[in-house]
Amino acid sequence: MSVSKQDVFYVAHLARLRLNDEEAERLQGDLNDILGYMETLNELDTSNVEPLEHVIEQPAILRKDNPAEPLSHEDALKNAPDADSDYFRVPKVIE
Amino acid sequence: MDSKGSVDLFEEKVERYIGAIDAFEDYNIITGFDREQVRQRAREIRSKLETGSAGPLAGMVVAVKDVLCERGKKVTCSSETLRNFESVYTATSVQRLLDKDALLIARTNMDEFAMGSSTENSIFGPAKNPVNPEYVTGGSSGGSAAAVAADLCDVALGSDTGGSIRQPAAYCGVVGLKPSYGRVSRYGLVAFASSFDCVGPFAKTVEDAAMILQHLAGYDPMDQSSSQAPVPDYLSEIRSKKHLKIGIPGEYFAEGLDPEIRFAVEEQLRALEKEGHTLHPITLPHTNYAIATYYILATAEASSNLARYDGIRYGHRADADEMERRLKEGIDDRPTADIYSAGDSPLIRLYKQSRTEGFGDEVKRRILLGTYVLSKGYYDAYYGKAQRVRRLIQNDFSNAFREVDVIASPTAPTTAFKIGEKTQMKPMEMYLNDIYTISANLAGICGISVPLGTHSNGLPMGIQFQAASMHETDLLHAAKASESLGRS
């Protein structure tokens, strides 16, 4: 499997990143280099191996559904790049 | 020592650390430091000490990696994305130290979002090794390791996703402990790869590391992956002597290991044998697959975790007015090969522009890699495969720990490298540096790096011990035994 420059632009789009031509070329090289190294995993037969999702096995722990103080309005908006007194502001979505 | 004397010593120490932080300013170790706040807090702790109401960590001065949230403080993760982000809550690990009256002195430099092995990927510039400023500190918790090594604090907190505590500890010549996955709450630790991330301490001695772990460890209702396993009394446990079965994995002494480091570790193991511990050759047959497995799973998790940085609720946002102007004027500098962005709405454009400006090269590389291995058609071949190999790697350790208490090895194949040396190379070169530390994160077990003297190049070396999940006591026993031999 080899990654094309088109693939890099496609994946960048999925990841919501913009790349220029030169970056896309460099990353194409990097990704092929790294993914090539990852091919070594194919030396292993894992057909009878269960995927490992949690490194520690423990039962789900439930808590009482007690009401608690949420984050205050002020705190929630504190780091907003753009906000009025009540809401986050974003650019117009409908053209 | 009378209490008046020790209280004076505490304030003298705080002033000495403040002076040292100033003296090391151009080492890029510290990212956030407010001396007046520190002095104010020192006075509060002093009055508690005087009235006898102080907690067990009063007198302890702690630096915190800039990835752990502290309410009212900047938490930057060394990223443009979070340059001006101020946390509105405090991480459990940090809160537990505060509650015991530790003094938090400063925030420390790191690789952006903890992605890196050198603390060069940072908006604050590369952290410099206090032993020799031409060399890296290691990473990603390089600032915390250097802060302890340069004597800017007593202990420091870091995070370890693939070796980010142990490797910089070895490079800077301090103790660095990665607890078992789930031993310490991750609440308030900015997420990189959630099934790997661990919070742990750096210290000058194994006992200090044990003491900090004591207060960090334990179940936290705010972190569903934190363990309910009881927390032993580490300090009293390790003050009694224990003869350990020490496993030596052949795979960790193979090609690529610096011969002097190899010799130092082997000599240390022979010395431990003379102290009554026993040495056992073991095998961890899937070691060579660990790096590939890790960089599939960790980047996949990272691509998902870092999706939250969209510039809407917090974090860097691109100039929306400028974007709108360009859109109106029909300016489009999108490369012609990028056919996918054609239909982007203004909001999607804002996401893309904000993220593109906010993230550095290594973070973008890992997000793209993680997105690729999770994308349709490749998921099973990469992500699914890596999850299966992860189990094989965990099984290697489970088998080994049926025979031995701890596993000994070098922490890293080399000493610290020169600043800039590896950033010129292919990214794989940097990734291969994690070979001895990365498996512990895949398996969820604990590990520690202890100083092991100085290489002929003048830089510190480290020996690593690993122990089974939740067996930090064995880990600390081994670390203390090694430290007691006096080669640190």
Side-chain angles (χ1 to χ4, degrees), chain A residues 6 13 15-16 18 30 41 43-44 46 49-52 55 58 61 75 78-80 89, chain B residues 71 86 224 226 289 296 312-314 317 333 337 340 352 355-356 365 385 387-388 391 394 426:
Chain A
Q6 281 288 304
H13 171 66
R16 300 289 184 254
R18 282 176 61 125
D30 290 348
L41 297 190
E43 295 166 8
L44 297 170
T46 53
V49 183
E50 279 296 302
L52 180 65
V55 290
Q58 60 177 8
I61 302 155
D75 276 351
K78 189 173 192 173
N79 285 286
R89 291 167 68 102
Chain B
R71 184 177 167 83
E86 194 181 298
Q224 281 293 291
S226 69
Y289 302 99
I296 291 170
I312 301 302
R313 294 166 194 84
Y314 56 88
R317 182 187 288 191
D333 51 5
Y340 307 97
K352 283 189 177 175
R355 289 166 62 78
T356 299
R365 183 155 42 231
K385 181 79 184 181
Q387 281 187 312
R388 290 178 164 82
R391 183 175 299 280
Q394 192 184 48
K426 290 182 173 179

Side-chain angles (χ1 to χ4, degrees), chain A residues 53 55, chain B residues 181 186 193-197 297 301 390 441-442 444:
Chain A
E53 281 164 2
V55 290
Chain B
Y181 184 81
R186 290 184 292 113
S194 307
S195 80
F196 298 87
D197 294 342
L297 297 176
E301 292 185 27
R390 187 176 190 180
N441 301 76
L442 286 161

Side-chain angles (χ1 to χ4, degrees), chain A residues 1-24 26-27 29-63 71-72 74-83 88-95, chain B residues 71 84-86 88 181-182 195 219 224-228 286 288-289 291-293 295-296 311-315 317 320 333-335 337-341 344-348 350-353 355-356 359 361 364-365 367-369 371-373 375 378 381-382 385-392 394 426-428 431-432 442-444 469-470:
Chain A
M1 279 179 269
S2 168
V3 180
S4 69
K5 199 163 137 189
Q6 281 288 304
D7 293 336
V8 176
F9 279 120
Y10 175 62
V11 173
H13 171 66
L14 293 179
R16 300 289 184 254
L17 291 168
R18 282 176 61 125
L19 301 175
N20 61 35
D21 262 316
E22 182 246 334
E23 286 169 325
R26 186 163 41 80
L27 284 160
D30 290 348
L31 291 191
N32 277 318
D33 193 36
I34 299 165
L35 291 166
Y37 179 79
M38 288 168 177
E39 301 284 322
T40 55
L41 297 190
N42 295 329
E43 295 166 8
L44 297 170
D45 178 6
T46 53
S47 46
N48 294 316
V49 183
E50 279 296 302
L52 180 65
E53 281 164 2
H54 302 285
V55 290
I56 48 171
E57 300 288 335
Q58 60 177 8
I61 302 155
L62 302 176
R63 61 167 170 77
L71 197 64
S72 73
E74 194 193 343
D75 276 351
L77 289 173
K78 189 173 192 173
N79 285 286
D82 192 7
F88 298 102
R89 291 167 68 102
V90 293
K92 197 170 62 174
V93 183
I94 303 157
E95 282 170 75
Chain B
R71 184 177 167 83
N84 298 306
F85 176 78
E86 194 181 298
V88 294
Y181 184 81
S195 80
Y219 176 67
Q224 281 293 291
S225 65
S226 69
S227 169
Q228 287 192 309
H286 296 95
N288 281 338
Y289 302 99
I291 288 176
T293 305
Y295 278 93
I296 291 170
I312 301 302
R313 294 166 194 84
Y314 56 88
R317 182 187 288 191
D333 51 5
R334 186 164 47 87
D338 180 9
I339 55 171
Y340 307 97
S341 308
D344 288 351
S345 68
L347 190 60
I348 300 284
L350 183 66
Y351 293 156
K352 283 189 177 175
Q353 192 62 30
R355 289 166 62 78
T356 299
F359 295 137
D361 285 346
K364 285 179 189 166
R365 183 155 42 231
I367 289 175
L368 290 179
L369 188 61
T371 307
Y372 183 84
V373 299
S375 65
Y378 299 105
Y382 291 108
K385 181 79 184 181
Q387 281 187 312
R388 290 178 164 82
V389 181
R390 187 176 190 180
R391 183 175 299 280
L392 295 177
Q394 192 184 48
K426 290 182 173 179
M428 268 320 302
Y431 300 169
L432 291 171
L442 286 161
S469 175
M470 305 297 154

